[in-house]
């Protein structure tokens, strides 16, 4: 993978970073480091927040960091002619921006997955304001673990108009950006569900190509949501049941689910989340009788 030309800042997600922060001291003489949570109410968690780094002299910092392919999962790079403290001051209002639903929450924009969906949802005008002193922001496109290995592709977000000399940062998330963050959450949940299900049954996805796996996960999760399930735990139980009993388990005559309901009619009145959990408990306690 060749690094983007002129990239001189490295942004690391502290949650996803598997290296210890002390590892950065090998570059101490040639870099500046800022923990973006420092000086904020999240300072006690600053090691888990965004870590902004900039070589202060010619350095191999960025190329060395990206020599580890795993770093592409928790790092992005960008270019700016400004000092590190100026870029830091610009980014900090985005740590916990208000949103269109009159709420607020931590925005992990240092996570490449979040950055990809968040930045992709912006209009040109919003992107110019958001980037501010940043000229170009390179984000590796997310790839699922079941997809064929390939060289990481980059998505480039560039400021079109010159950055104003000074302007207030109006950090907020509109409905389009909230929807984009929901997509990022769904992407991550599909990845987590795949990892869990593949570990649970290594034969489940055997023989499927990457598109078939994607389709299976999408159909499984969508059907659970349509059935009325909420919450990741309930959806994982739903996916496990699909894997064991088939996609038609709720409608198959004389199948384990309808047989269970016939013998336990009160369970039909349970809300979907409680019903799937009750059926899962039944299956686990009656393994010999809960299969076709």
């Amino acid at each position: 993978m060749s690094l983007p030309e002129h990239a001189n800042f490295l942004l690391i997600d502290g949650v996803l970073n598997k290296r210890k922060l002390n590892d950065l001291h090998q570059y101490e003489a040639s870099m500046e480091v800022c923990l973006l949570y420092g000086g904020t109410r999240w300072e006690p968690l600053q090691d888990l927040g965004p870590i902004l780094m900039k070589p202060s002299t010619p350095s191999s910092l960025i190329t060395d960091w990206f020599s580890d392919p795993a770093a592409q999962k928790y790092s992005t790079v960008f270019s700016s002619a400004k000092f590190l403290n100026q870029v830091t001051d610009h980014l900090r209002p985005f740590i916990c921006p208000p949103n269109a639903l009159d709420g607020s929450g931590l925005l992990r924009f240092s996570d490449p997955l979040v950055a990809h969906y968040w930045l992709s949802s912006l209009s040109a005008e919003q992107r110019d304001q958001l980037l501010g002193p940043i000229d170009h922001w390179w984000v590796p496109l997310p790839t699922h673990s079941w997809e064929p290995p390939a060289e990481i592709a980059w998505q480039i977000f560039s400021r079109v108009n010159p950055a104003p000399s000074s302007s207030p940062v109006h950090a907020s998330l509109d409905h389009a950006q909230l929807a984009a963050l929901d997509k990022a959450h769904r992407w991550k949940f599909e990845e987590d569900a795949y990892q869990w299900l593949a570990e649970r049954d290594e034969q489940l996805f055997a023989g499927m190509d990457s598109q078939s796996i994607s389709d299976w996960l999408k159909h499984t999760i969508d059907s659970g949501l349509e059935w009325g399930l909420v919450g990741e735990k309930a959806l994982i139980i739903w996916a496990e049941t699909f894997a064991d009993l088939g996609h038609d388990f709720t409608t198959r005559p004389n199948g384990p689910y309808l047989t269970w309901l016939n013998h336990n009619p009160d369970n039909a009145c349970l809300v979907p989340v409680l019903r799937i959990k009750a059926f899962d408990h039944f299956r686990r306690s009656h393994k010999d009788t809960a299969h076709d």
Side-chain angles (χ1 to χ4, degrees), residues 21-263:
L21 196 57
N22 290 338
D23 292 347
L24 304 180
H25 290 326
Q26 63 181 301
Y27 301 103
E28 188 171 3
S30 63
M31 74 168 182
E32 302 173 85
V33 178
C34 179
L35 305 180
L36 266 65
Y37 282 3
T40 74
R41 56 182 164 143
W42 299 281
E43 187 165 0
L45 302 174
Q46 60 182 346
D47 289 353
L48 299 177
I51 304 168
L52 188 61
M53 301 165 56
K54 181 186 181 185
S56 54
T57 60
S59 168
S60 62
L61 165 64
I62 295 179
T63 54
D64 285 353
W65 196 267
F66 270 81
S67 65
D68 176 8
Q72 300 154 8
K73 300 295 184 182
Y74 57 80
S75 308
T76 61
V77 296
F78 52 82
S79 63
S80 175
K82 301 299 182 180
F83 295 111
L84 179 132
N85 67 315
Q86 292 174 295
V87 177
T88 297
D89 290 344
H90 177 77
L91 289 176
R92 275 195 171 128
F94 296 100
I95 290 175
C96 188
N99 61 52
L101 300 178
D102 295 325
S104 63
L106 286 174
L107 175 63
R108 284 182 49 210
F109 55 81
S110 54
D111 179 348
L113 175 65
V114 174
H116 161 71
Y117 281 98
W118 177 47
L119 296 173
S120 297
S121 70
L122 300 171
S123 67
E125 181 180 356
Q126 288 173 320
R127 186 164 53 248
D128 282 351
Q129 183 192 50
L130 186 147
L131 292 177
I134 299 171
D135 298 313
H136 308 284
W137 193 336
W138 290 270
V139 178
L141 288 172
T143 56
H144 281 296
S145 58
W146 63 82
E147 296 176 342
E151 183 177 4
I152 291 293
W154 291 91
Q155 189 168 14
I156 305 174
F157 301 94
S158 300
R159 183 170 32 76
V160 176
N161 297 307
S165 56
S166 63
S167 63
V169 177
H170 300 290
S172 63
L173 301 176
D174 61 20
H175 289 288
Q177 292 162 43
L178 291 174
L181 295 177
D182 285 342
K183 291 180 181 179
H185 182 267
R186 170 63 181 260
W187 191 100
K188 180 64 166 57
F189 179 62
E190 289 185 5
E191 179 68 24
D192 291 343
Y194 169 78
Q195 296 290 346
W196 173 264
L197 293 168
E199 182 176 344
R200 178 178 180 267
D201 179 4
E202 61 183 17
Q203 296 302 313
L204 176 60
F205 299 112
M208 291 191 195
D209 59 22
S210 60
Q211 186 59 55
S212 297
I213 294 173
S214 296
D215 292 343
W216 191 94
L217 289 166
K218 181 180 185 304
H219 174 63
T220 299
I221 295 170
D222 284 348
S223 64
L225 293 171
E226 292 168 2
W227 203 66
L229 297 178
V230 293
E232 294 184 358
K233 182 176 181 179
L235 287 169
I236 287 294
I237 293 174
W238 177 267
E240 291 176 342
T241 310
F242 262 34
D244 294 342
L245 303 182
H247 281 190
D248 63 343
F249 82 90
T250 60
T251 59
R252 190 164 64 250
N254 302 318
Y257 175 75
L258 291 182
T259 300
W260 171 73
L261 275 187
N262 288 335
H263 286 89

